[in-house]
Amino acid sequence: MEKKDNLEIIDRIENHFGDFIEQLKVERGYSLKHIADKTNLSPSFVFRLIKGYRGCEMTTKLNILVNGFGLVELAEDYVKQVLQNKEALKKIPD
């Protein structure tokens, strides 16, 4: 995968995560239950996430990418991109 393609995917993870997960689910023939079982999330949570009814924390996104779909390298690249974008990080109060 080229770096440009990877940046586009990372943008989808950040801004259109539900759509990205739905695409992966369909491409791999996974059910909501399969993803839920692999990630210890409820099928209803995964459904609401895909449909855009709820957002999720970065840790949940990483859980789904790594445990749900085995996309370790993509998850690592996503974390690196977030860390490079210092404006996206909230300052921790003293």
Side-chain angles (χ1 to χ4, degrees):
M1 183 180 305
E2 289 185 24
K3 188 161 182 86
K4 180 184 175 204
D5 292 337
N6 212 12
L7 289 175
E8 290 173 11
I9 292 171
I10 289 169
D11 178 67
R12 290 190 67 204
I13 293 170
E14 188 64 27
N15 299 304
H16 307 284
F17 190 65
D19 292 337
F20 182 66
I21 295 307
E22 175 67 10
Q23 178 186 352
L24 288 173
K25 182 175 94 52
V26 170
E27 286 174 358
R28 295 181 181 204
Y30 290 178
S31 67
L32 289 173
K33 182 170 178 2
H34 174 85
I35 298 167
D37 288 346
K38 292 284 189 183
T39 59
N40 289 324
L41 300 169
S42 71
S44 64
F45 178 91
V46 176
F47 174 82
R48 291 190 313 269
L49 180 65
I50 287 171
K51 294 300 181 186
Y53 300 148
R54 67 168 297 127
C56 66
E57 302 277 332
M58 182 178 178
T59 54
T60 303
K61 289 179 181 180
L62 294 173
N63 177 20
I64 293 170
L65 291 172
V66 172
N67 297 319
F69 293 97
L71 298 172
V72 176
E73 188 175 314
L74 180 59
E76 289 172 349
D77 289 347
Y78 172 57
V79 170
K80 288 175 189 173
Q81 185 66 28
V82 169
L83 291 174
Q84 286 177 357
N85 183 3
K86 293 178 184 174
E87 293 177 15
L89 300 174
K90 295 180 182 177
K91 293 185 178 181
I92 300 172
D94 293 334

